Amino acid sequence: PAATSTPSMWWRRRSHGDKTKMMILEQPTHRRRRTLSTNLNETSSRSDRKWEFWIDRGGTFTDVVAKRPDGTVETRKFLSENPEVYRDAALQGIRSFLELGTNDAIPGDQIEAVKMGTTVATNALLERKGERTLLVTNKGFRDVLRIAYQHRPNIFAREIKKPELLYSSVVEVLGRYGADGTELEPLDQSLAKEDLKKAFDNGIRSVAIVLVHAYKYPNHEKILK
């Protein structure tokens, strides 16, 4: 039969059984070209794909999910702390998938994305294992976080147990902005520097700077930093 069948003959022949064969024999030339072009584009896009990594670093284990350039997904688990074998679990996980040595450079041109989440900071907060922290705030606000909202779960408790504070010491600085952005008192930089040096000499390496209205007028905080 002729390949230039009308649409009615096309559907009639499909209904008579030789369905797959007729579809192949009677596929118009422009359709074959379009299919070939699409396949070539898909092959090209697959060859251009790179590695993708999703990493969850916990206190004990680090889980690494990798998507290979061919689209397959694989997971591996590593000890988060294993200094005898590697310095960083996340980097070791990436090297493992790329079949690299512990100290080999990671080829960034082969990686599309690395996304990482961690509970390390949360664990340190809950277990109080982080660095000793210095709170820097305006003069007169030393005890604001300790006073808090004065919530009392048991109003008749004879022994009140307050929550442990996250900072170990406080430095009050002279300087203040008003709610409208007016500098009510200039920052005493020399005194602040002296107090910060004392804290440093005392072994403190972590500082939280919390000044009044600094969310909108951060100039004094920027100077302290």
Side-chain angles (χ1 to χ4, degrees), residues 150-168:
Q150 299 190 40
H151 288 167
R152 302 179 183 181
N154 186 352
I155 195 172
F156 298 108
R158 301 178 64 182
E159 182 183 359
I160 299 175
K161 295 182 179 180
K162 296 181 179 181
E164 184 180 352
L165 296 174
L166 300 180
Y167 53 89
S168 57

Side-chain angles (χ1 to χ4, degrees), residues 57 79-92 95 102-103:
R57 191 185 191 288
L79 286 172
S80 294
E81 298 293 338
N82 196 1
E84 295 81 8
V85 182
Y86 48 77
R87 295 180 59 186
D88 184 88
L91 295 179
Q92 180 63 23
R95 288 191 175 99
T102 302
N103 297 317

Side-chain angles (χ1 to χ4, degrees), residues 60-78:
T60 304
F61 293 106
T62 294
D63 297 293
V64 181
V65 180
K67 184 177 182 181
R68 299 177 180 275
D70 62 6
T72 59
V73 177
E74 184 180 345
T75 62
R76 295 181 186 178
K77 185 182 291 287
F78 303 85

Side-chain angles (χ1 to χ4, degrees), residues 6-143:
T6 63
S8 59
M9 293 177 66
W10 169 267
W11 289 103
R12 189 158 50 248
R13 288 176 184 174
R14 287 183 59 184
S15 65
H16 278 83
D18 205 3
K19 182 175 180 180
T20 304
K21 184 176 180 181
M22 293 304 297
M23 288 177 67
I24 295 175
L25 289 176
E26 297 192 15
Q27 186 176 20
T29 304
H30 71 277
R31 290 188 181 179
R32 290 199 298 272
R33 288 175 180 171
R34 187 185 308 158
T35 303
L36 178 60
S37 175
T38 302
N39 291 338
L40 288 174
N41 290 337
E42 290 178 355
T43 302
S44 176
S45 63
R46 282 197 294 268
S47 65
D48 293 339
R49 290 176 182 170
K50 300 180 181 181
W51 287 84
E52 295 183 52
F53 296 95
W54 296 272
I55 304 171
D56 178 17
R57 191 185 191 288
T60 304
F61 293 106
T62 294
D63 297 293
V64 181
V65 180
K67 184 177 182 181
R68 299 177 180 275
D70 62 6
T72 59
V73 177
E74 184 180 345
T75 62
R76 295 181 186 178
K77 185 182 291 287
F78 303 85
L79 286 172
S80 294
E81 298 293 338
N82 196 1
E84 295 81 8
V85 182
Y86 48 77
R87 295 180 59 186
D88 184 88
L91 295 179
Q92 180 63 23
I94 294 175
R95 288 191 175 99
S96 173
F97 281 104
L98 297 179
E99 299 182 353
L100 300 174
T102 302
N103 297 317
D104 291 345
I106 297 176
D109 59 341
Q110 296 182 23
I111 300 175
E112 179 69 25
V114 177
K115 299 180 180 180
M116 182 171 177
T118 178
T119 59
V120 173
T122 303
N123 292 342
L125 179 65
L126 295 175
E127 299 171 5
R128 298 295 192 268
K129 291 184 177 179
E131 285 279 349
R132 294 167 56 210
T133 302
L134 172 71
L135 173 65
V136 178
T137 189
N138 300 91
K139 185 175 178 59
F141 287 83
R142 170 186 295 272
D143 298 313

